[in-house]
Amino acid sequence: MSLEEAKARGWKELDIILVTGDAYVDHSSFGTAIIGRVLEDAGFKVGIIAQPRWDNPEEFKKLGKPRLFFSVSAGNTDSIVSNLTPGLKPREKDAYSPGGRPGLRPNRAVIIYSNRIKEAFPDVPIVIGGIEASLRRFAHYDYLSDKVRQSILADAPADLLVYGMGELQVVELAKRLQAGEDVKEVRDIPGTVWKMEVKAWKDLKVEGRERDSENCIEIPSFSEVSQDKAAFAKAFRMYFMEQNPVTGKSVIQPHPKTVVVQNRPMRALTEAELDHVYELPFTGETHPSYTETVPALEMVKFSLTTHRGCFGGCAFCAITQHQGRMIASRSPESLLREARRLTEKPDFKGIINGVGGPTANMYGMECRTWAKKGACLDKACLHPGICPALDTSHKKLLELLRSLRELHGVKQVFTGYGVRYDLALEDEEYLEELCAHHISGQLRVAPEHFSKRVTDAMCKPDRKVYEKFAEKFKILNKKCGKEQYIVNYLMSSHPDCTLEDMIEMAEYMRDRGGYTEQVQDFTPTPMTVSTCMYYTGLDPFTGKKVYVARDKKEKAMQRALMHYKNPANYELVYEALERAGRLDLVGNAWNCLIRRRERKEKKERKEQER
């Protein structure tokens, strides 16, 4: 983080400098920390510039000129998601900043940081990566500007984009630049995106050589997808189908001033490679230069990452495009070694507060088709039902959890979130042990909605599956003598969700006594199926039209329906019921969502105030 620290190590210059929009936390849940440790392990001298001021290039000179390249990331999340609420208002807190202070990173951080670096060091290669770059690698819908933007590689003065998790790509790149290769000639590393001159691409097309290989496809250009929503949906479908490291092809998308070429995805790390990465010498702490804690660390400091990838396939989630659908798991031995190191920390209180990955209960699972052809392209693993080719046994996870519970110094091992409940239903032994040992009063699950039309659009299980899980959860808790509850995460305004669907959900929650505050408004983020539906109004795989709530008033009404008991939402709920022709739900009967007289009294108060 400083030249003084470099000198203390005997380093006269740095090989690589990582620039990040997050505070620097040396923990394996933070992407910059992983990339830094992996590069260090490969023999490179690495510096980190965290949350630099971006109004001039001087801040990017404080570690000097790197010998090989700058690597730029917005941090663990997209900078716009970090900075703005779903309503595009500034967030009051930033979990990845010291003290949770907001405003320490710009919107579109990757582009802005890259521009400042180019001003400071015009001849140093720039490599971009992380969530923001990874998910904006093609022309994409941008919620903040409400338009289609170019690939981030076309907007940023960068030489190469690394997508996905990145360890294998960045180490290979560093070694090749170390050997004297020009970054502009490095065009064959899987999991990277590079730029070709428009003239060179046109020449290839004239010669017919762009079709010489069966290993590449051209998708509709930026000009096409920015003007034609059907073309946008087609492009999305085409590149979505190539996110498979076994069968994926290179994907080419022309832009006005450059041609963006995505190489096929990088393979997942093996078990041994994952073990090695997570057992690198992370301190697990914020950098000593900070005087305040970083809230994001407090959430994960005493947790264990067991695996990567998710075959859930939720339409609103981008994990498929970043980590992939195939599960890559660590060995139990590696996880137990890490757990023992946690118990040696002076502030460890005996509680491991999280064990999992993108989900809590996909550890060790696999499909018999993955090794030969990767994840299927023509069907989902869990929707509309669980594929019979999928091994849903929780045996490996159960053995791991039992071993963790037996460790000296460990009092509790909690898994209070991230459980995929349709999978949990497949293994009652796991569900029983979860209730008996691994929940601290509340289990957070994400049914997201209870209207079948909406759950189908989301690729989530329908409510019958949820009801079966909730009933089983109740029975097993009674069996083990515990009083524990389910907390539901729900979503409003998802594509294909109407006011009628939200009223259906409000009635469902009313009847089941499951009123919840855990509701979020759908936010279009790059490279998800749901965002494609939101922008185009089309299902990219079927071409069918999808209803989209775009009007701010309707979105507010949808959200208010889930908080219909809140007096502050009365007018919005009444208007929603009136618009939907459901004023039968206004009155004093047991099944009414709101009382009729409240609206009258509120109007009278307003008239008196006037």
Side-chain angles (χ1 to χ4, degrees):
M1 287 274 281
S2 68
L3 288 175
E4 289 73 24
E5 289 176 312
K7 289 176 183 176
R9 288 192 169 206
W11 296 354
K12 294 181 180 179
E13 66 175 346
L14 297 169
D15 297 320
I16 299 155
I17 295 176
L18 311 181
V19 179
T20 174
D22 289 343
Y24 177 41
V25 181
D26 190 25
H27 187 281
S28 59
S29 292
F30 293 74
T32 296
I34 287 183
I35 295 300
R37 287 294 182 186
V38 165
L39 285 167
E40 178 193 43
D41 183 61
F44 297 98
K45 302 179 181 69
V46 184
I48 293 174
I49 299 176
Q51 298 188 315
R53 289 180 54 190
W54 60 90
D55 51 355
N56 67 69
E58 294 304 312
E59 184 83 352
F60 298 84
K61 296 179 179 178
K62 65 182 183 181
L63 294 182
K65 180 179 179 180
R67 191 171 59 87
L68 297 177
F69 62 89
F70 275 98
S71 171
V72 179
S73 165
N76 267 22
T77 57
D78 186 283
S79 57
I80 291 174
V81 175
S82 293
N83 292 346
L84 303 174
T85 68
L88 298 180
K89 296 179 180 179
R91 292 191 187 273
E92 296 180 356
K93 294 183 179 180
D94 183 342
Y96 291 94
S97 296
R101 292 197 310 280
L104 298 185
R105 84 186 81 223
N107 290 336
R108 313 196 194 288
V110 169
I111 296 173
I112 291 176
Y113 291 162
S114 298
N115 280 325
R116 296 294 87 79
I117 292 168
K118 185 58 69 174
E119 292 173 27
F121 301 102
D123 59 335
V124 177
I126 299 174
V127 180
I128 58 178
I131 285 286
E132 180 162 298
S134 185
L135 300 183
R136 294 176 182 265
R137 59 189 185 263
F138 293 111
H140 56 280
Y141 172 72
D142 179 73
Y143 187 48
L144 179 59
S145 61
D146 191 28
K147 66 179 184 180
V148 176
R149 287 183 64 97
Q150 297 189 112
S151 162
I152 197 170
L153 194 57
D155 281 340
D159 299 285
L160 201 68
L161 183 156
V162 171
Y163 71 94
M165 299 305 285
E167 294 100 338
L168 296 173
Q169 298 97 302
V170 77
V171 170
E172 181 175 347
L173 173 66
K175 289 180 176 178
R176 288 171 65 166
L177 296 188
Q178 172 103 304
E181 286 192 52
D182 185 331
V183 69
K184 296 187 185 303
E185 300 301 319
V186 180
R187 294 183 166 186
D188 59 343
I189 300 177
T192 62
V193 185
W194 49 279
K195 293 186 280 194
M196 180 191 298
E197 291 183 358
V198 174
K199 184 180 183 303
W201 174 241
K202 287 181 177 178
D203 289 344
L204 285 175
K205 295 193 76 169
V206 168
E207 297 169 11
R209 286 196 288 139
E210 91 285 4
R211 304 244 181 243
D212 285 352
S213 173
E214 296 180 354
N215 296 319
C216 70
I217 63 167
E218 180 181 354
I219 65 174
S221 68
F222 168 76
S223 299
E224 293 174 277
V225 302
S226 60
Q227 297 172 21
D228 182 344
K229 291 183 177 180
F232 185 100
K234 178 182 179 182
F236 180 90
R237 180 178 67 253
M238 291 176 74
Y239 67 65
F240 186 94
M241 301 297 279
E242 303 305 327
Q243 304 312 307
N244 182 327
V246 181
T247 64
K249 300 175 182 178
S250 294
V251 180
I252 300 165
Q253 186 176 51
H255 284 62
K257 295 183 179 180
T258 192
V259 176
V260 171
V261 183
Q262 174 193 274
N263 293 338
R264 64 179 176 81
M266 177 58 82
R267 65 172 177 82
L269 297 182
T270 64
E271 179 182 89
E273 288 169 335
L274 265 183
D275 288 353
H276 183 71
V277 167
Y278 282 92
E279 293 191 73
L280 290 171
F282 299 98
T283 65
E285 306 289 342
T286 56
H287 189 268
S289 62
Y290 297 121
T291 58
E292 299 172 284
T293 60
V294 176
L297 174 62
E298 301 309 304
M299 294 184 278
V300 299
K301 188 172 184 179
F302 298 114
S303 66
L304 298 171
T305 299
T306 57
H307 65 281
R308 290 180 178 176
C310 176
F311 50 79
C314 300
F316 50 80
C317 180
I319 288 174
T320 295
Q321 308 280 29
H322 190 70
Q323 291 194 17
R325 284 167 57 193
M326 295 185 289
I327 303 302
S329 299
R330 295 171 61 187
S331 70
E333 294 77 16
S334 173
L335 287 157
L336 289 170
R337 286 193 293 269
E338 184 177 352
R340 290 189 189 96
R341 287 193 293 273
L342 291 181
T343 67
E344 295 168 1
K345 288 183 171 291
D347 52 345
F348 181 69
K349 305 298 183 184
I351 298 173
I352 295 175
N353 64 357
V355 179
T359 57
N361 58 324
M362 288 185 184
Y363 174 70
M365 292 187 181
E366 57 187 8
C367 172
R368 57 175 177 260
T369 69
W370 286 351
K372 291 184 178 180
K373 66 174 186 177
C376 297
L377 300 176
D378 58 343
K379 58 184 178 180
C381 299
L382 300 181
H383 189 269
I386 298 174
C387 177
L390 191 68
D391 175 11
T392 59
S393 169
H394 289 67
K395 181 180 178 182
K396 293 179 181 177
L397 178 57
L398 279 169
E399 291 173 352
L400 172 65
L401 291 172
R402 290 164 185 162
S403 296
L404 289 170
R405 295 201 304 265
E406 293 170 1
L407 282 181
H408 177 72
V410 173
K411 299 175 183 176
Q412 298 283 345
V413 180
F414 288 135
T415 308
Y417 57 90
V419 172
R420 184 81 191 205
Y421 57 84
D422 49 351
L423 280 179
L425 277 171
E426 296 292 299
D427 195 324
E428 186 167 327
E429 185 180 11
Y430 165 73
L431 190 49
E432 185 169 355
E433 289 206 19
L434 182 72
C435 294
H437 300 289
H438 302 293
I439 301 173
S440 179
Q442 294 182 340
L443 177 66
R444 294 170 175 82
V445 298
E448 305 296 357
H449 215 283
F450 295 111
S451 164
K452 188 175 188 314
R453 188 169 77 141
V454 182
T455 53
D456 281 349
M458 293 175 165
C459 293
K460 294 285 290 186
D462 66 32
R463 70 188 187 197
K464 290 181 181 178
V465 179
Y466 169 81
E467 288 169 355
K468 185 177 179 183
F469 172 79
E471 182 62 26
K472 181 67 69 174
F473 183 81
K474 182 179 178 181
I475 292 170
L476 292 175
N477 274 294
K478 187 175 181 180
K479 180 179 178 181
C480 62
K482 292 199 172 187
E483 189 172 335
Q484 300 186 126
Y485 304 93
I486 292 175
V487 175
N488 298 308
Y489 286 102
L490 303 172
M491 187 183 294
S492 60
S493 301
H494 187 275
D496 227 15
C497 180
T498 64
L499 283 175
E500 289 78 8
D501 292 313
M502 291 305 297
I503 292 169
E504 179 185 345
M505 184 150 77
E507 290 186 279
Y508 182 79
M509 298 302 286
R510 174 204 65 198
D511 295 343
R512 292 184 64 86
Y515 186 80
T516 180
E517 294 294 330
Q518 304 294 331
V519 181
Q520 65 173 341
D521 196 34
F522 169 70
T523 304
T525 53
M527 225 172 184
T528 69
V529 176
S530 299
T531 297
C532 180
M533 290 193 288
Y534 176 88
Y535 172 65
T536 65
L538 301 169
D539 181 321
F541 303 110
T542 65
K544 293 180 179 178
K545 289 185 177 181
V546 174
Y547 176 80
V548 178
R550 302 182 192 281
D551 178 69
K552 287 185 178 180
K553 184 67 173 290
E554 183 183 345
K555 289 167 73 69
M557 287 191 289
Q558 286 208 21
R559 186 181 177 102
L561 280 162
M562 283 313 303
H563 295 159
Y564 63 86
K565 290 183 180 180
N566 186 342
N569 289 332
Y570 184 87
E571 292 297 320
L572 283 169
V573 173
Y574 187 97
E575 187 173 345
L577 295 174
E578 185 176 44
R579 185 182 293 190
R582 292 300 309 276
L583 289 179
D584 59 297
L585 295 174
V586 181
N588 298 327
W590 70 269
N591 63 332
C592 290
L593 297 181
I594 54 176
R595 300 167 69 88
R596 186 176 301 279
R597 63 182 179 83
E598 292 179 19
R599 182 176 172 85
K600 182 179 177 183
E601 289 175 356
K602 193 165 186 177
K603 278 188 173 180
E604 289 174 353
R605 284 197 299 271
K606 284 185 177 180
E607 288 172 3
Q608 289 172 1
E609 289 170 1
R610 284 203 217 69

